[in-house]
Amino acid sequence: MTIRLQDTLSGEARPLEPLEPGHVRVYTCGPTVYGPAHIGNFRSFLFADLLIRYLRYRGLRVTWVMNLTDIDDKIIRGAAAEGVSIAELAGRYTARFLADADALGMTRPDVLPRATEHIPQITDLVATLLDRGHAYRTEDGSVFFRIASWPAYGRLARLDPEAMRVGERVEADEYAKDDVRDFALWKAPKPGEPSWDTPIGPGRPGWHIECSAMSMTHLGPSFDIHTGGVDLVFPHHEDEIAQSEAATGLPFVHAWLHCAHLRMGGEKMAKSTGNIARVADLVAAGVSPRALRYALIAVHYRAPLNYTEDSLPAAAAAVERVDALLAALAGYREGRPDDPTLPAALDAIRAAFEAGLDDDLNVSEALAALFDGVRDLNRRIDARALSTADAARATAFIRELDAVLGIAAPEADALDPELQDLVDRRAAARAARDWAESDRLRDELLARGIAVEDTRDGQRWRALVTSGG
RNA sequence: GGCGACGUGGCGAAGUGGCCUAACGCGGGGGUCUGCAAAACCCUUAUUCAUCGGUUCGAAUCCGAUCGUCGCCUCCA
């Protein structure tokens, strides 16, 4: 069994063969922290999270680096508009990003490098490109990458460099470039803008070079996987490849993985058009972060995902199905021998789950396997076919698969004492066959998000998964 | 205009040459269980895969045309 991943550059599904056996190095283009990220951004970050979780599930060591772009035009503009420093603005939205990411159950990357903390690495890279003749300085002290010096330019995006000469954008550009297609590596200082004094002169880094410098600093000149949204294919990733390989002479990345857009109302979710939804707003409106996570990861990463009002209730119901199984298994008690057919059944489900994810992270197949497992286990519970030990085994099994998906309720979240009291009183009322009181308490708990269910194993409760409203 | 992705049930979505009279989730209908519920389970809900034509013993899956949707070519996950 090998993991195969669809590489944008070669256009084919490539088997994952880590440059260092057993250790996968992954770089994800993270957010520019000039404002809160929207759920479309998080779709691509959660796709990377799913990848990381699966690689680790498969026993691979993973080093995951996600950059934080904390210096760029929008941050400068935003800070100026608010009258605060760029560090303050970037710091605020970095914290906001991490809080949203945590809410969605995103794995913390091993390294979260900030551009402003990598100025020496960036200027070293620019200096190398100048030395090698791939970059040039303009009158104001800015440095540009010379696309004409890199014949492979355009391969990733499948764009014809010659056709890009059209030049309608020439006058829109603020800098005097030799060629309109050339892109900025280093921007000369301007009044009111932050600037660093460096060996290549004063100024600030261009966007693309930041990612090349940070990825190579933390992962080496060649690494295994680079992820991002499709809208980064051109020019961002195209430029990264050109400048990185021109500087090192080595292949930059083994596999480029690009996540399709999240759509809302049939169109790409984008800050510029304003059709966005944000994590914190949805959560404040009562949406379960787990339901939101499910909605954002349940579709294959390379397929566009249309987000609608109906997405969340469906996702919440699916997540709740897993919760209900875990609750049933947790309360299950049966003094009988182990179910002899259980191990083989679980093995088959695991095999299907892995086969799906091995195939370029086909999460639909993996979820189908998970839910096949849910039904199978529910059947065995209904039939009282499991031993108490089997139920514990089944729980561990579901938890193991969920370590990849991250959608199930965390175990043993203690109930608030007041609610616990209601649960206890409800159990007592029911034991006394006081139906009126037990039903009243059940309704009250339900209104407060706690479902109480009576089973052969006794009364059990479960926190409901909400979808907002 | 150039390049690319895609169109499967009420909704979302797998499947890319025979195991497909089409997985899985949501939703709908009926039933079992239950003090009543809920959860769960069972049955049911596409003889059909945008349309038309072709290749093939055989196509949702390959080829062509048509219609439609979206993205990139500029900041963008």
Side-chain angles (χ1 to χ4, degrees), chain A residues 45-65:
Chain A
F45 301 139
L46 288 176
F47 137 66
D49 177 38
L50 187 71
L51 171 70
I52 299 303
R53 285 165 173 261
Y54 185 58
L55 295 176
R56 288 185 175 147
Y57 163 95
R58 287 298 234 141
L60 291 156
R61 179 180 164 209
V62 178
T63 299
W64 185 23
V65 177

Side-chain angles (χ1 to χ4, degrees), chain A residues 192-214:
Chain A
E193 288 192 355
S195 168
W196 283 260
D197 282 316
T198 76
I200 59 166
R204 62 186 174 94
W207 177 38
H208 314 303
I209 197 75
E210 296 176 1
C211 278
S212 286
M214 287 190 273

Side-chain angles (χ1 to χ4, degrees), chain A residues 100-377:
Chain A
D100 287 346
D102 286 349
L104 289 172
M106 207 174 104
T107 307
R108 261 306 160 94
D110 300 291
V111 190
L112 284 163
R114 288 159 172 81
T116 55
E117 292 170 1
H118 291 74
I119 300 297
Q121 292 89 337
I122 291 167
T123 56
D124 279 359
L125 198 52
V126 174
T128 302
L129 289 166
L130 281 166
D131 287 348
R132 294 195 165 204
H134 290 291
Y136 60 92
R137 211 179 275 278
T138 56
E139 282 176 23
D140 68 350
S142 293
V143 179
F144 287 86
F145 185 87
R146 191 188 307 282
I147 280 169
S149 78
W150 195 251
Y153 195 80
R155 256 184 72 206
L156 181 74
R158 289 171 175 69
L159 289 173
D160 176 3
E162 289 308 308
M164 289 159 53
R165 276 184 191 284
V166 260
E168 293 91 34
R169 306 189 285 274
V170 188
E171 43 287 316
D173 203 286
E174 317 156 43
Y175 304 92
K177 300 188 266 187
D178 286 5
D179 187 315
V180 281
R181 304 167 304 165
D182 291 347
F183 58 91
L185 296 171
W186 188 253
K187 298 181 177 182
K190 286 202 244 174
E193 288 192 355
S195 168
W196 283 260
D197 282 316
T198 76
I200 59 166
R204 62 186 174 94
W207 177 38
H208 314 303
I209 197 75
E210 296 176 1
C211 278
S212 286
M214 287 190 273
S215 59
M216 293 197 285
T217 294
H218 296 282
L219 298 173
S222 296
F223 55 94
D224 302 297
I225 298 171
H226 192 130
T227 80
V230 269
D231 46 8
L232 295 186
V233 172
F234 192 88
H236 188 55
H237 290 163
E238 189 74 59
D239 292 352
E240 275 190 57
I241 294 173
Q243 67 205 175
S244 302
E245 298 194 351
T248 67
L250 297 168
F252 184 41
V253 169
H254 176 73
W256 287 90
L257 272 41
H258 290 105
C259 180
H261 285 132
L262 180 69
R263 292 185 196 162
M264 191 159 74
E267 307 235 307
K268 160 184 174 178
M269 181 171 287
K271 287 187 192 110
S272 52
T273 53
N275 68 321
I276 55 171
R278 288 172 177 152
V279 177
D281 297 341
L282 290 168
V283 171
V287 172
S288 151
R290 291 190 291 126
L292 181 56
R293 178 184 170 90
Y294 183 95
L296 292 175
I297 66 168
V299 172
H300 184 89
Y301 74 90
R302 280 189 292 105
L305 193 169
N306 200 23
Y307 175 83
T308 71
E309 287 298 305
D310 299 330
S311 306
L312 292 171
V319 168
E320 198 152 318
R321 186 162 159 76
V322 178
D323 284 0
L325 170 68
L326 288 169
L329 287 170
Y332 186 92
R333 297 287 180 278
E334 193 67 55
R336 53 153 295 152
D338 292 346
D339 179 346
T341 64
L342 182 65
L346 297 185
D347 285 349
I349 288 155
R350 181 193 297 279
F353 181 82
E354 292 177 1
L357 292 172
D358 279 349
D359 179 17
D360 192 30
L361 236 51
N362 188 333
V363 72
S364 297
E365 271 185 41
L367 286 168
L370 173 73
F371 285 110
D372 280 338
V374 170
R375 178 178 303 105
D376 186 39
L377 289 168

Side-chain angles (χ1 to χ4, degrees), chain A residues 21-86:
Chain A
H23 183 180
V24 186
R25 291 179 170 82
V26 184
Y27 185 85
T28 295
C29 275
T32 298
V33 284
Y34 70 99
H38 55 70
I39 61 173
N41 299 320
F42 277 106
R43 183 200 183 188
S44 78
F45 301 139
L46 288 176
F47 137 66
D49 177 38
L50 187 71
L51 171 70
I52 299 303
R53 285 165 173 261
Y54 185 58
L55 295 176
R56 288 185 175 147
Y57 163 95
R58 287 298 234 141
L60 291 156
R61 179 180 164 209
V62 178
T63 299
W64 185 23
V65 177
M66 177 186 280
N67 73 291
L68 297 166
T69 296
D70 60 352
I71 172 69
D72 96 316
D73 295 353
K74 286 177 189 152
I75 294 173
I76 292 168
R77 226 179 290 138
E82 284 191 35
V84 300
S85 69
I86 59 157

